[in-house]
Amino acid sequence: MTQRMTNRFAKLAEENRPAFVTYFMGGDPNFETSVEIMKGLPAAGADVIELGMPFSDPMADGPSIQAAGLRALKQGQNLTRTFDMVRAFREHDEETPIVLMGYYNPIYQYGSEKFLDDAKEAGVDGMIIVDLPPEMDEELCIPALSRDLNFIRLATPTTDEKRLPKVLSNTSGFLYYVSINGITGAAAPKPEEVAKSVTHIKAKTDIPICVGFGVRTAEQAAVIGRAADGVVVGSAIVSTVAESLNGDQPTENTVSNTLELVASIAEGVRTARN
Amino acid sequence: MNVQSPNSFRMGPDEEGQFGIFGGRFVAETLMPNILELDEAYTKAKKDPEFLSELEYLNKHYTGRPSPLYFAERLTEHLGGAKVYFKRDELNHTGSHKINNCLGQILLAKRMGKKRIIAETGAGQHGVASATVAARFGYPCMVYMGAKDVHRQSPNVFRMKLLGAEIESVTAGAGTLKDAMNEALRDWVTNVEDTYYLIGTAAGPHPYPELVRDFQSVIGKETREQIQEAEGRLPDMLIASVGGGSNAIGLFHPFLDDESVQIVGVEAGGKGLDGDEHCASLTAGRPGVLHGNRTYLLQDAEGQIEEGASISAGLDYPGIGPEHSWLKDTGRVEYVPIMDTEALEAFQLLCRLEGIIPALEPSHALAEVVKRAPAMDKDQIIVMNLCGRGDKDVHTVAEALGIEV
Ligand SMILES: Cc1ncc(COP(=O)(O)O)c(C=O)c1O
């Protein structure tokens, strides 16, 4: 684990509260606005930041994240700019862990080794690459771990007893438990089932377990946060950005609406164990 | 990129589902257990005499196999060179080679106890074949089809509906095959427990490229026997069109280790390779990762996938099956582009010379035959995969020729 990630989860454990992990799309609706959103996230209550890297064919994402990615690509978002965002953020915040989230092909084209070196240098802590299951660890996971970058794996309701050890191996930072079979922004998870799965996985590992997919409100976040070490919210944030736009252009409400939503869900996360 | 040529070209894929660096399993974790389950089911099925004999029975009595190997006498005369034979998979039930794969996969779905079939389609031929086998075996079937293709292949849309399938018109992206495949994958991730994804070409995550190839190899196996019978020897050249690559690999695979057989795959050159309106992933693309496998892709400098373009909906895909990528890099198979206009001309030529209306996809292969045959000796032999009939394309062709029907 990177020091930042270790420190953050240690501090949260001390405070006995779950992490609030916020996903947003880098470069949406444009570079400057998304940097502003990113810089505002910690004060609004985000404990860990997932920075989305747009891809033309996001096969595990629903309509809102797909659309956000296309807006970002249209504005020229790419990996170089993604790292620029991280650098800009790190000028003011040395503590909040940053996890890049996206698909493999843009990284493969950039060059896996160069991607990892540049990510490390910019101040990235880890990555979630949707289409790199454990079977493909040689591609990016192993080289990432050797640079002390976290490779955060997804576990899902289809991850059965037999498969779990494989998913847990080489996972670091935290485990992202996808609460439903489905794409981002789809159905809401069932809290009882999530709690059961989290307890089950916890028996097998010491790394924190964050739960996401389908969490949209403070209430849902509070319920999920009772069992999980962290709650991930993505589509709700991305949709709020989208709803604030005028055409594809940001408005004066884009940053404020987004951060207000984050703050309100953060409330829910913080009261989860009260 | 040139890699060392192996002892045999017919051994792939390896344990990891790779052909050299191509192939693999680049999918979301949700799908992994399912893909491993499929691999296990297929590994067992392909050794199970009952499975094989059921498939053989259906191939014969439902599809009408073996398809004829036809000597195109008038075309041969017209071109004045090599003897041209057609492997006539356009005579199959449902009108293309797609049924070969669908029958194999529906039997797998049945063995695996799945309850629902999903498929993607470009030209609609795979959609029709999927809807057909779903009807035959009593499964509900959902077909994802790009909105642009729904429009240009409308006769097939109605056929699918008649067969009881539901059609989801996909508007994302350019509304063609790539986008339909994304949507099918999203459905699969959501309904992974009970749904069987019936992929229509020799691409996607392992084991799909392997099993689709195996089910399509009936084309090449029959061809070997039939050409021996007709000519007492193997052909000098094989030519087939490549979209995702299933009809081509089906013809090629049984011949890969026969050095004397030259093999040519034909990609969609669209309006020409200079612009971005083509679908020549092997000729003009670079290796990348999409839809579960590493393969040649049309993409920009930053790895964003580009939309292909071709007059033929079935070739309109920015990727290609991974085995073809490997066959290109090893040099075993040569891949060339054919332009829309050349395919259109070949289409019309075949109608008039042989009384066969071909699909636009094999019309690309035919255009390559037209280029090559005249330069070859009269005792040389070309076998071309005539993998689909053109009923579905008559509106597209009329439009391209400026004729109102
Ligand atoms: C008649 C026909 N030929 C070829 C293709 C291209 O697919 P493949 O390359 O998998 O054979 C299609 C696809 O729809 C088709 O309908």
Side-chain angles (χ1 to χ4, degrees):
Chain A
M1 274 207 218
T2 61
Q3 203 53 47
R4 269 190 293 265
M5 193 75 85
T6 314
N7 293 350
R8 180 53 46 109
F9 277 99
K11 178 167 153 268
L12 291 166
E14 218 168 86
E15 294 173 17
N16 188 28
R17 65 177 183 86
F20 182 26
V21 182
T22 53
Y23 171 97
F24 76 112
M25 178 61 78
D28 173 38
N30 60 33
F31 181 80
E32 293 74 23
T33 311
S34 77
V35 169
E36 242 186 283
I37 292 172
M38 188 175 184
K39 285 183 175 167
L41 286 173
D47 300 304
V48 176
I49 294 177
E50 281 181 15
L51 172 53
M53 302 179 285
F55 181 48
S56 53
D57 293 80
M59 57 186 184
D61 285 305
S64 39
I65 292 182
Q66 283 178 52
L70 291 182
R71 284 193 299 270
L73 287 174
K74 235 175 161 179
Q75 293 295 320
Q77 185 69 2
N78 57 22
L79 291 179
T80 308
R81 289 203 187 192
T82 301
F83 297 136
D84 288 343
M85 288 182 70
V86 175
R87 273 186 220 103
F89 180 86
R90 282 277 172 255
E91 283 172 19
H92 307 278
D93 187 322
E94 257 305 323
E95 266 145 43
T96 307
I98 298 174
V99 173
L100 302 180
M101 182 159 182
Y103 295 79
Y104 185 44
N105 195 51
I107 297 169
Y108 183 61
Q109 300 309 321
Y110 190 87
S112 295
E113 302 276 331
K114 180 169 151 54
F115 169 81
L116 294 171
D117 290 338
D118 292 357
K120 182 91 191 168
E121 182 273 323
V124 167
D125 297 277
M127 66 212 73
I128 303 171
I129 308 302
V130 180
D131 50 356
L132 286 180
E135 278 72 7
M136 296 285 126
D137 270 359
E138 299 295 329
E139 300 283 333
L140 195 68
C141 173
I142 307 288
L145 296 180
S146 79
R147 285 168 175 82
D148 197 24
L149 282 163
N150 294 137
F151 199 84
I152 293 144
R153 202 105 69 190
L154 303 170
T156 74
T158 62
T159 311
D160 56 16
E161 204 68 30
K162 202 167 102 209
R163 180 129 183 106
L164 188 58
K166 184 133 194 159
V167 168
L168 289 173
S169 71
N170 292 337
T171 300
S172 77
F174 58 89
L175 181 75
Y176 188 152
Y177 181 70
V178 175
S179 56
I180 50 159
N181 286 333
I183 53 179
T184 52
K190 295 200 182 73
E192 320 79 57
E193 284 177 27
V194 170
K196 221 169 88 193
S197 306
V198 169
T199 314
H200 183 76
I201 300 171
K202 271 187 163 303
K204 304 274 157 76
T205 180
D206 292 331
I207 67 169
I209 297 165
C210 298
V211 176
F213 273 46
V215 185
R216 305 190 74 93
T217 65
E219 293 73 33
Q220 288 170 329
V223 177
I224 299 288
R226 247 165 249 153
D229 301 305
V231 183
V232 190
V233 175
S235 290
I237 296 173
V238 169
S239 304
T240 305
V241 172
E243 281 153 20
S244 76
L245 303 179
N246 179 6
D248 276 357
Q249 297 301 313
T251 62
E252 56 184 24
N253 297 325
T254 300
V255 176
S256 56
N257 285 7
T258 307
L259 295 178
E260 271 164 34
L261 174 90
V262 170
S264 80
I265 301 178
E267 264 316 286
V269 177
R270 274 158 210 269
T271 57
R273 298 190 192 147
N274 291 353
Chain B
M1 205 188 291
N2 245 311
V3 295
Q4 205 181 354
S5 93
N7 296 328
S8 167
F9 290 95
R10 305 185 63 233
M11 302 307 284
D14 65 18
E15 287 271 294
E16 270 72 53
Q18 309 211 46
F19 303 87
I21 66 161
F22 300 105
R25 287 184 271 227
F26 297 88
V27 297
E29 179 56 33
T30 317
L31 296 178
M32 268 318 294
N34 217 319
I35 280 170
L36 295 172
E37 182 195 0
L38 176 62
D39 196 14
E40 205 174 300
Y42 180 59
T43 305
K44 280 200 196 121
K46 70 181 172 189
K47 289 186 224 128
D48 180 351
E50 206 175 304
F51 176 85
L52 296 173
S53 75
E54 189 173 6
L55 181 57
E56 199 180 301
Y57 178 88
L58 289 164
N59 276 341
K60 181 167 175 195
H61 297 283
Y62 191 66
T63 305
R65 302 208 72 89
S67 67
L69 184 71
Y70 166 74
F71 173 50
E73 195 178 343
R74 294 239 302 146
L75 179 71
T76 299
E77 218 169 86
H78 173 81
L79 296 176
K83 293 172 89 166
V84 179
Y85 280 84
F86 293 142
K87 180 58 174 164
R88 297 205 50 194
D89 260 51
E90 107 277 13
L91 294 175
N92 293 343
H93 178 42
T94 74
S96 80
H97 66 292
K98 297 287 180 186
I99 190 83
N100 305 332
N101 166 45
C102 287
L103 282 172
Q105 289 203 54
I106 198 84
L107 293 181
L108 273 180
K110 197 173 89 177
R111 282 170 79 98
M112 293 171 72
K114 299 293 178 184
K115 301 273 182 292
R116 171 177 177 263
I117 303 298
I118 57 170
E120 85 295 338
T121 195
Q125 291 303 98
H126 175 60
V128 167
S130 299
T132 299
V133 298
R136 166 66 181 76
F137 285 85
Y139 287 95
C141 177
M142 169 76 104
V143 179
Y144 290 90
M145 188 168 186
K148 179 174 165 193
D149 293 337
V150 167
H151 170 72
R152 64 177 162 171
Q153 305 280 308
S154 56
N156 272 343
V157 175
F158 186 57
R159 289 166 79 197
M160 286 184 263
K161 286 186 181 155
L162 285 173
L163 292 161
E166 242 184 280
I167 319 297
E168 181 78 33
S169 169
V170 178
T171 50
T176 61
L177 186 51
K178 156 178 100 87
D179 311 296
M181 200 145 176
N182 288 334
E183 230 30 63
L185 283 163
R186 290 183 185 118
D187 179 317
W188 199 23
V189 172
T190 309
N191 302 294
V192 64
E193 313 266 358
D194 68 344
T195 296
Y196 184 91
Y197 181 16
L198 208 173
I199 290 188
T201 193
H206 177 67
Y208 282 108
E210 177 188 358
L211 66 87
V212 175
R213 174 200 72 199
D214 291 351
F215 294 140
Q216 291 294 0
S217 288
V218 68
I219 299 173
K221 285 182 196 149
E222 288 173 7
T223 300
R224 275 186 90 91
E225 279 178 26
Q226 291 166 320
I227 198 74
Q228 286 287 2
E229 196 176 306
E231 296 278 350
R233 67 180 187 89
L234 295 181
D236 299 283
M237 188 182 285
L238 302 173
I239 301 184
S241 62
V242 288
S246 70
N247 87 82
I249 202 71
L251 175 65
F252 298 169
H253 196 259
F255 293 92
L256 288 175
D257 285 338
D258 298 291
E259 257 175 64
S260 67
V261 182
Q262 194 183 341
I263 305 183
V264 183
V266 183
E267 299 194 281
K271 296 202 165 89
L273 300 199
D274 317 333
D276 51 10
E277 289 189 67
H278 63 80
C279 250
S281 6
L282 287 169
T283 319
R286 295 195 313 283
V289 172
L290 178 71
H291 293 153
N293 56 172
R294 176 167 20 227
T295 194
Y296 276 81
L297 298 172
L298 298 180
Q299 53 185 322
D300 69 14
E302 282 158 0
Q304 306 298 338
I305 309 304
E306 290 179 332
E307 296 289 345
S310 166
I311 189 168
S312 143
L315 303 183
D316 209 340
Y317 179 62
I320 172 81
E323 194 164 9
H324 287 289
S325 292
W326 178 72
L327 290 170
K328 173 195 161 76
D329 277 9
T330 54
R332 177 62 187 96
V333 177
E334 182 189 353
Y335 295 89
V336 296
I338 280 289
M339 309 307 141
D340 285 352
T341 48
E342 297 171 309
L344 265 173
E345 253 176 52
F347 175 97
Q348 296 171 80
L349 184 71
L350 197 64
C351 294
R352 288 193 305 264
L353 281 181
E354 295 285 351
I356 297 172
I357 303 178
L360 281 169
E361 293 81 13
S363 296
H364 284 72
L366 186 64
E368 189 63 21
V369 171
V370 170
K371 285 186 182 174
R372 302 223 178 201
M376 292 167 69
D377 290 341
K378 288 200 157 115
D379 60 355
Q380 289 192 294
I381 302 164
I382 299 178
V383 174
M384 188 203 100
N385 199 3
L386 186 41
C387 60
R389 61 177 176 239
D391 312 38
K392 68 182 175 66
D393 292 318
V394 293
H395 289 285
T396 307
V397 172
E399 206 172 299
L401 298 177
I403 296 162
E404 218 163 296
V405 283

